[in-house]
Amino acid sequence: MLSAKRLAAGAIVATATAATVLAGGGVAQADVPVWQANCHVYNIFNTGGMANCELPAWHQVKLTCVAWPVPFTYWKYGPVHYGQNQSWASCDSPGALVRVEVIQA
């Protein structure tokens, strides 16, 4: 028959082991700024754009568009995405894209 001391010691060791496993399982890689995440932006037919990053970073595509016949610029933003997921957006009319960039979300 096991003594109370052995049962208590076994319970402490089991609890410590389980806590270590759970704490280690939750460790995630730290996010990096978009200027260090090797992000790429793409112009899509001078109307839209997309962005994705190679390293873990929350990012968003930002488009600068122009409206005619009275020229004024406006900005369109894509949805916020993480890492290699792609953020897409498009201007309101064909050929209206002036600039595409990726920003930190």
Side-chain angles (χ1 to χ4, degrees):
M1 189 166 224
L2 295 174
S3 69
K5 287 183 182 180
R6 281 191 174 174
L7 286 175
I12 290 171
V13 170
T15 304
T17 303
T20 302
V21 169
L22 290 175
V27 174
Q29 190 175 10
D31 289 351
V32 295
V34 292
W35 57 87
Q36 294 177 349
N38 201 16
C39 297
H40 306 278
V41 293
Y42 303 94
N43 180 332
I44 315 278
F45 301 115
N46 208 29
T47 300
M50 63 162 268
N52 67 333
C53 299
E54 292 181 14
L55 298 176
W58 287 100
H59 66 279
Q60 180 177 29
V61 68
K62 176 185 175 186
L63 304 180
T64 303
C65 306
V66 65
W68 297 101
V70 178
F72 68 91
T73 54
Y74 62 96
W75 296 272
K76 295 284 275 217
Y77 296 89
V80 175
H81 281 289
Y82 187 75
Q84 294 181 354
N85 294 322
Q86 299 170 346
S87 179
W88 289 77
S90 62
C91 297
D92 294 331
S93 59
L97 183 65
V98 176
R99 182 175 183 211
V100 58
E101 60 187 302
V102 62
I103 59 173
Q104 193 83 39

